[in-house]
Amino acid sequence: MEGDFVLPGDGPSAAPEVLALAKIVSRLRAEVVDLEKLSSVTAVVERARGVVMAREDVTPDAAHQLLLDRAAERGRTLLEECWITLGRTGARPVTPPSRTVPRTAPAGAREPAPGLGDARRRAATDGARPAEHHALLAALARDLADARTPGEIAQRLRAVLSDAEDIEGVMVYTVATAGSLKLIGHAGIGDAMAEQWNHIPPLSGIAAMEAIATRRAVWLEDLESDATRYLLIGDPPERWPSRAWIPVPGNGAVKAVVGLLRNRPGAFGTGTRALLRRAVRLCGGPLQADRGPRDDEPFPADVAAVQTIFDALSGPAVLLTPLRSRTGEVEDFRIDAAAPQSLDLAGRRGKQLVGRRVLETYPTIAGTALWAGYLDTLTTGEVYEGEPFVHEEVTAGVPQRSVYSVRASGLGGRLVVSWIRHDTTEREARRLDDLQRLGNLGWANWNLMTDTITWSDQVYTIFDRDPAQGPVRLEELPRHLLAEDLPQLGEAVQRLLGGGVAIDQYFRIATRHGVRHLRIVAEAQRDADGTPLEVHGFFQDLTAQRAAELALRESERANLVQRGVLKAERALGARLQDTLLPIPEQSIELAGLRVDVAYVPVDSGLNVGGDWYSAIELPDKSALFVVGDVAGHGLAAVGTMAMLRFTAKGMTVTGSPLPDVLGRLNTLLLHTASGTASSTATVVMARYQPWDHRLTWVRAGHLPPLLIRDGAATFVPQPEGVLLGAAFECTYGQDVIDLLPGDRLLFYTDGLVEEPGEDIEAGLAHLATTAGRLARHDRTGTLAKALADLRPGNRDDICVVEIHVPDAP
């Protein structure tokens, strides 16, 4: 049929996504046509109103009212009357019937204020009222916390500002298709006016659009002069003699503007302007947050659960719900949940994406491998991981390209899609965020001309401050300081603002979580006259570093004290050890045996060890040999060593059998133990009888003696015996060795055989091999000193006692 619009690809062979794109294109074309019509109508009305103003010498509002009256009087529409008026512009003006155009406000409008001069004087005396303004902003922040829609935001804004600043009307616009404005929330203006100004095409002379384009507030304070420059919103405009259009700050381009309509004329004072800017800034978060599904559809419980999980994610991810045609084919996907870090090329982030359709928002995806991957994952359940691809979007007429890697997986009939954006801008932004987080610093900017302050998110964390409260003003910064740091920082700020000198100052602030040590580095940008225009810099939290420095200093002081104590203890212990254990320089003769002793203290450390020995002649001309090792180091180990050494010598000299001596040493050690590491010890004792060359020996947990006979080294069988101090009621056995001429017998401590990470059996085997080799090559040399010298860098004390039976004549 003629005039019908046929969808491209319409037919049984068309892919569902193609049909969906065709429907989107059709709808967008219709919107463009509507916009063109609206733009044309607006242009005609504006031109006709200008003609009437010139002919009748009336104001713009009076000219518009005159066109309405003529249209009603002659039974025409407003557009028809405007065309007729423009058609007569070339002819001689027709004198209209005598009438007086009312210049007063129509019925229903508020009475004007006493006078513009009075209002301006009131604004001029509107000094900064920080206490009142802070209270208003705090109340507004509380009210906005549970606001669900832009309409509720506008109502809360009007409720807080109406009494304090006579704000009776609030209008919230957002940027819509082709740069037009759409009214998304209002309060105090009435439904009729809201319907009339629901949509504003992208025309010049619109204060709201100028505020968005320039990112600056537009203050309309003189109705008569403002009407010559702007199309004033209102029915009639005189209902609000003064008004302000303030852009809503956000990430990237400004997307919304708030109109604050005041019921009295006059200028907005400095304090009032600052209050209104901050109030609008508080609305930024609630306006950007999505409060529900797009088509007023309730979220299923599972979608809400997914959104809760997404809120904790650190990367981008969305939940896609398939939208099917009547035949069951997937023709699009809807975003039902989004992680906070989800960001597209148009600057939409997190929940701003929720409710959008994929092909409608990103039409270039249709027919690509990515779209096929979505459908395949939805059908088979297999995870889709695509190769990096280039995606292009046109934003504000400028094409933007980025490289993405996308992963999609099935979830209960839906898709969970995550991606990585590889382009440099996004990567640099992430790096900047990571740098601030890892360095615990954040940037700040103070624009002294526009009285605006910008903080990065990390600065709020550093100051332990709720972002809803906004940044701290530069002149208010000293109020948060500790009193001791106030003079230094105050002088630094004066140097910065007065002399333009960059500052690098440390200071402390008090927060809910205690005192924090901060650093500010800032510099000022100045104009040609030297007046500061802007201050920018960064804050850094040095609390952890400062705490570490203080802890390090304290640790260093304690370490120095401890080292002094240990040095004194080692010196005392070494003197005691030298007194108790004199090491003979030469071999000694004892009961017909040659005895050599080697003692090597630990190679590093400040503590002395508990290794000890005894080699004495008994009253019956026999000889006593003892080697022991007390657990631990220090004076306690030296004291235990002295106690055991003298007790063992005394009991043996009085004729006590060797097993009894060990038993009594064990009892003594158990009763004198103080819970320290020196409460246990190992001991090996031997008594040599020269008349029959018999050696009787016992042990208490000590390593076995090494016998070297005829060049072969073997460990002698060990009698029963646990270490001293381990348990009561211990039994100690003894064994007998008949020594032969030329035999060598070694008693030693574990420092001679132990190696970190090596089994003790390996150390004993190495000792036997080495001792046998040395004995074969040098039958007259001393093994004790030779074996000890082979252990440089020893980690424990070494004590070796060598018994050498002389060769037969």
Side-chain angles (χ1 to χ4, degrees):
M1 181 181 298
E2 184 177 352
D4 285 351
F5 179 75
V6 181
L7 295 177
D10 196 6
S13 62
E17 65 270 16
V18 176
L19 294 177
L21 279 177
K23 294 177 182 178
I24 294 171
V25 171
S26 177
R27 179 171 57 79
L28 293 178
R29 284 179 178 175
E31 291 182 2
V32 170
V33 172
D34 292 341
L35 288 174
E36 290 176 347
K37 290 181 180 178
L38 180 60
S39 178
S40 300
V41 169
T42 304
V44 170
V45 172
E46 289 297 317
R47 290 178 59 191
R49 188 169 65 171
V51 171
V52 174
M53 289 171 58
R55 286 181 176 179
E56 307 296 336
D57 191 22
V58 294
T59 65
D61 292 331
H64 187 79
Q65 186 63 42
L66 187 57
L67 287 170
L68 290 174
D69 293 343
R70 289 177 179 176
E73 179 181 337
R74 297 163 184 171
R76 302 168 182 162
T77 65
L78 176 62
L79 183 60
E80 291 173 342
E81 183 65 31
C82 290
W83 277 117
I84 293 175
T85 300
L86 293 175
R88 294 174 178 173
T89 54
R92 182 176 179 178
V94 178
T95 304
S98 176
R99 70 172 71 190
T100 302
V101 179
R103 303 297 294 269
T104 59
R110 297 180 181 272
E111 291 293 327
L116 181 60
D118 293 338
R120 283 183 174 171
R121 282 192 297 273
R122 178 179 174 183
T125 58
D126 181 17
R129 296 167 291 179
E132 298 177 15
H133 289 178
H134 287 329
L136 289 175
L137 293 173
L140 177 60
R142 289 192 299 269
D143 291 346
L144 291 176
D146 59 348
R148 303 292 300 173
T149 64
E152 292 182 6
I153 294 173
Q155 293 171 6
R156 307 290 169 84
L157 198 58
R158 178 177 179 268
V160 171
L161 298 177
S162 59
D163 293 336
E165 300 296 339
D166 299 327
I167 301 298
E168 291 299 328
V170 177
M171 305 178 76
V172 182
Y173 281 97
T174 186
V175 179
T177 308
S180 60
L181 297 182
K182 180 175 178 58
L183 184 66
I184 58 174
H186 63 86
I189 63 172
D191 293 338
M193 178 177 169
E195 179 65 25
Q196 178 183 357
W197 296 97
N198 180 61
H199 185 273
I200 301 178
L203 302 175
S204 60
I206 305 296
M209 289 185 174
E210 180 178 321
I212 290 178
T214 62
R215 304 172 69 96
R216 295 176 179 270
V218 177
W219 309 94
L220 305 182
E221 301 166 322
D222 188 337
L223 193 65
E224 184 174 353
S225 63
D226 291 335
T228 62
R229 296 182 295 126
Y230 299 103
L231 173 62
L232 299 180
I233 294 177
D235 188 16
E238 290 83 357
R239 180 178 175 184
W240 293 283
S242 57
R243 59 195 71 190
W245 293 97
I246 303 175
V248 179
N251 297 325
V254 175
K255 299 295 184 181
V257 63
V258 175
L260 302 173
L261 313 180
R262 195 166 63 171
N263 63 1
R264 59 180 173 85
F268 292 89
T270 303
T272 299
R273 291 190 177 193
L275 172 64
L276 299 185
R277 285 196 191 98
R278 294 175 182 174
V280 172
R281 186 181 295 116
L282 287 178
C283 299
L287 284 175
Q288 292 177 8
D290 192 281
R291 301 295 185 176
R294 188 173 180 179
D295 299 323
D296 296 328
E297 299 175 359
F299 273 136
D302 55 347
V303 174
V306 171
Q307 182 61 64
T308 302
I309 297 174
F310 279 3
D311 290 340
L313 294 181
S314 60
V318 295
L319 178 68
L320 301 184
T321 298
L323 303 178
R324 301 181 183 273
S325 64
R326 295 179 180 177
T327 61
E329 300 286 343
V330 176
E331 60 180 13
D332 206 343
F333 289 91
R334 185 182 63 233
I335 302 175
D336 280 350
Q341 296 299 318
S342 304
L343 177 69
D344 65 6
L345 287 177
R348 294 177 287 256
R349 180 185 295 273
K351 293 183 179 180
Q352 294 176 339
L353 300 171
V354 175
R356 293 185 174 274
R357 298 190 176 192
V358 172
L359 290 182
E360 181 176 326
T361 310
Y362 317 106
T364 56
I365 294 179
T368 63
L370 176 61
W371 181 262
Y374 284 174
L375 299 180
D376 185 65
T377 299
L378 191 65
T379 303
T380 65
E382 295 182 359
V383 176
Y384 167 77
E385 294 188 6
E387 297 293 331
F389 68 96
V390 178
H391 176 65
E392 179 175 311
E393 289 184 25
V394 179
T395 304
V398 179
Q400 298 187 25
R401 296 162 59 93
S402 285
V403 179
Y404 291 90
S405 295
V406 178
R407 184 181 189 274
S409 58
L411 180 65
R414 296 183 174 91
L415 297 180
V416 175
V417 178
S418 59
W419 64 90
I420 299 175
R421 185 173 175 181
H422 301 287
D423 60 292
T424 305
T425 303
E426 179 69 14
R427 184 167 61 253
E428 292 299 329
R430 289 199 305 269
R431 287 179 177 176
L432 179 59
D433 292 340
D434 292 341
L435 173 64
Q436 294 186 79
R437 176 177 53 82
L438 295 175
N440 210 358
L441 55 85
W443 58 265
N445 184 79
W446 295 268
N447 191 318
L448 305 179
M449 303 304 296
T450 61
D451 193 29
T452 56
I453 306 172
T454 307
W455 275 7
S456 68
D457 294 340
Q458 190 65 27
V459 179
Y460 289 100
T461 302
I462 292 174
F463 275 80
D464 194 18
R465 185 178 177 87
D466 186 355
Q469 296 179 324
V472 176
R473 301 176 63 84
L474 190 61
E475 60 270 20
E476 296 174 356
L477 185 59
R479 302 178 187 174
H480 299 266
L481 269 65
L482 298 187
E484 308 90 273
D485 298 342
L486 183 58
Q488 292 84 355
L489 186 62
E491 293 176 2
V493 173
Q494 289 297 327
R495 292 196 307 270
L496 175 67
L497 299 180
V501 179
I503 63 173
D504 186 346
Q505 185 70 36
Y506 295 88
F507 62 96
R508 293 169 295 171
I509 62 172
T511 69
R512 294 171 298 175
H513 299 91
V515 175
R516 292 188 176 179
H517 297 258
L518 305 186
R519 174 194 182 197
I520 180 175
V521 178
E523 63 180 4
Q525 291 184 346
R526 314 173 74 83
D527 60 12
D529 299 327
T531 302
L533 302 177
E534 183 178 82
V535 174
H536 57 262
F538 67 85
F539 291 99
Q540 186 175 16
D541 187 353
L542 302 176
T543 305
Q545 178 180 336
R546 181 60 176 167
E549 291 175 355
L550 294 176
L552 180 60
R553 291 179 184 176
E554 186 63 28
S555 176
E556 288 176 348
R557 285 195 294 267
N559 189 33
L560 289 175
V561 173
Q562 182 65 17
R563 288 183 66 87
V565 172
L566 291 177
K567 285 182 178 179
E569 181 178 320
R570 178 175 176 83
L572 177 60
R575 287 196 297 270
L576 288 174
Q577 196 175 53
D578 291 340
T579 302
L580 297 173
L581 296 176
I583 307 301
E585 297 293 334
Q586 305 294 331
S587 302
I588 60 176
E589 297 294 332
L590 192 62
L593 301 175
R594 191 185 75 185
V595 181
D596 291 289
V597 179
Y599 185 89
V600 181
V602 65
D603 188 59
S604 61
L606 296 175
N607 286 323
V608 293
D611 291 14
W612 57 281
Y613 79 95
S614 285
I616 62 173
E617 186 176 69
L618 298 176
D620 61 356
K621 303 303 180 179
S622 61
L624 175 66
F625 302 100
V626 186
V627 172
D629 186 1
V630 177
H633 293 79
L635 291 179
V638 173
T640 302
M641 175 266 289
M643 179 184 67
L644 294 178
R645 183 172 184 268
F646 290 124
T647 302
K649 289 171 61 176
M651 294 180 66
T652 307
V653 168
T654 58
S656 299
L658 296 183
D660 293 347
V661 174
L662 289 182
R664 292 174 183 176
L665 291 178
N666 179 61
T667 303
L668 176 64
L669 196 57
L670 286 170
H671 282 287
T672 58
S674 60
T676 65
S678 301
S679 58
T680 61
T682 64
V683 176
V684 59
M685 300 179 63
R687 181 175 182 178
Y688 175 70
Q689 300 172 169
W691 51 86
D692 57 1
H693 306 293
R694 175 163 288 187
L695 184 134
T696 304
W697 73 287
V698 295
R699 59 178 287 274
H702 205 83
L703 297 173
L706 179 64
L707 176 62
I708 304 169
R709 177 176 290 172
D710 297 331
T714 58
F715 294 101
V716 300
Q718 303 182 72
E720 179 184 5
V722 299
L723 77 165
L724 303 179
F728 291 97
E729 305 298 334
C730 293
T731 301
Y732 297 94
Q734 69 178 12
D735 205 349
V736 176
I737 305 173
D738 290 326
L739 297 180
L740 301 178
D743 285 351
R744 296 186 181 189
L745 189 64
L746 296 179
F747 300 101
Y748 52 92
T749 58
D750 54 6
L752 188 64
V753 295
E754 283 187 339
E755 283 289 348
E758 184 179 79
D759 187 74
I760 189 66
E761 296 296 334
L764 292 172
H766 180 70
L767 172 62
T769 302
T770 304
R773 176 172 51 82
L774 292 175
R776 288 191 298 270
H777 285 79
D778 186 0
R779 296 180 58 85
T780 61
T782 61
L783 288 177
K785 290 183 172 56
L787 290 172
D789 291 341
L790 292 176
R791 302 279 297 177
N794 52 296
R795 299 173 180 267
D796 198 0
D797 293 352
I798 298 174
C799 181
V800 184
V801 175
E802 176 191 358
I803 300 173
H804 187 190
V805 181
D807 295 334

